[in-house]
Amino acid sequence: MRIAILMTNTDDSAFAHRHPMDGEKFTTLVQMARPAWRCDVYAVKDGIFPDDIGTYDGAMITGSPASTRSGAPWVTRLLGLIRQMHALRLPLFGACFGHQAIALALGGRVDNLPGGWVHGRTENHLVARPEWAAELPEVVSIYGSHVEYVRELPKGADPLMTRDGHNTGFTLGTHIATSQHHPEMTHAFICALTEELRQDMGPEVYARAQESLKQKVDQPALAEAIARFFEAARTA
């Protein structure tokens, strides 16, 4: 398969340049499960978009410190592209910012997260089990870092995962799936990010994050599930 990775991460700091960029992280995630798949990265946050998204077998939208509600020109253009992909029923997976952008583009609502910042290893309860998610555990562990969330799902969307009563993933038809959290993040990267954001997140969030990182996440199972999602969506 040929997957377009729509890279939305606006962090251009020295920290960001010391680590793999999101295009590389998502390519690694995809190829963890399907080594032969090709991934083309588009820095949509810089206004670089595919000429024809319909030539791809699917697309992934990455995370970002930017807000889907910012009104930035590139965000507005991305929301329009999401609506185009939905109309084409092009298989689409969104993580964090991508999850929120898909919801917002298709009529859902995004808001500030009650209780503030979530960072570290998160436990997400699987509330639906599409066939492609058959081998995921009932509680899916994923690294996360966010201060906004999807308050209302788009019309026709079905919850996939929840955490603390909030939606952390949804499906729409057979061609859209999302995760509020970051299946592409490695343990080394989330640990480094935790230290980088220590002052911003405050001592309580930092302490919770540090404690949470003592346990592993379900990255290999998530990579396989995402690959199966794209395969199932292409044949639906």
Side-chain angles (χ1 to χ4, degrees):
M1 282 198 185
R2 187 165 167 248
I3 306 295
I5 297 177
L6 308 180
M7 205 271 284
T8 64
N9 194 334
T10 54
D11 183 7
D12 198 36
S13 67
F15 169 82
H17 286 280
R18 289 196 299 269
H19 299 275
M21 295 299 186
D22 278 6
E24 183 179 342
K25 289 193 191 83
F26 276 84
T27 297
T28 298
L29 178 72
V30 168
Q31 294 179 348
M32 183 183 297
R34 299 293 184 273
W37 287 11
R38 172 179 166 184
C39 295
D40 295 336
V41 180
Y42 295 89
V44 296
K45 54 95 176 184
D46 294 325
I48 302 170
F49 284 74
D51 291 332
D52 182 2
I53 196 66
T55 63
Y56 284 90
D57 296 302
M60 305 177 84
I61 305 175
T62 75
S64 177
S67 173
T68 57
R69 300 178 290 166
S70 68
W74 70 267
V75 174
T76 300
R77 185 175 175 186
L78 177 61
L79 298 181
L81 181 60
I82 290 167
R83 289 187 281 269
Q84 178 188 346
M85 289 187 281
H86 179 45
L88 292 171
R89 294 186 64 82
L90 185 81
L92 175 61
F93 178 83
C96 199
F97 177 98
H99 158 80
Q100 295 170 17
I102 294 168
L104 191 62
L106 301 181
R109 290 181 61 191
V110 175
D111 207 343
N112 294 333
L113 184 65
W117 207 327
V118 167
H119 183 92
R121 175 183 173 273
T122 69
E123 294 186 343
N124 304 267
H125 294 267
L126 203 64
V127 294
R129 194 176 285 278
E131 187 173 346
W132 53 264
E135 295 186 14
L136 288 178
E138 291 294 331
V139 178
V140 185
S141 297
I142 320 174
Y143 297 130
S145 184
H146 66 112
V147 293
E148 295 183 315
Y149 79 118
V150 173
R151 181 173 179 175
E152 292 182 13
L153 296 180
K155 184 177 180 181
D158 295 309
L160 178 65
M161 293 183 286
T162 62
R163 179 182 181 274
D164 293 341
H166 301 136
N167 181 267
T168 55
F170 65 88
T171 58
L172 183 54
T174 57
H175 62 290
I176 289 176
T178 73
S179 166
Q180 172 58 68
H181 303 305
H182 291 271
E184 82 286 0
M185 285 187 180
T186 64
H187 186 259
F189 178 78
I190 191 68
C191 288
L193 183 63
T194 302
E195 294 304 322
E196 177 71 11
L197 298 176
R198 181 173 184 170
Q199 297 304 316
D200 294 331
M201 70 178 64
E204 291 185 10
V205 176
Y206 175 78
R208 288 199 300 270
Q210 286 288 83
E211 182 63 26
S212 75
L213 296 178
K214 294 177 181 178
Q215 299 181 62
K216 295 181 179 180
V217 293
D218 297 307
Q219 189 180 50
L222 284 161
E224 179 64 25
I226 292 167
R228 290 185 180 185
F229 156 72
F230 281 113
E231 290 166 340
R234 288 300 293 173
T235 58

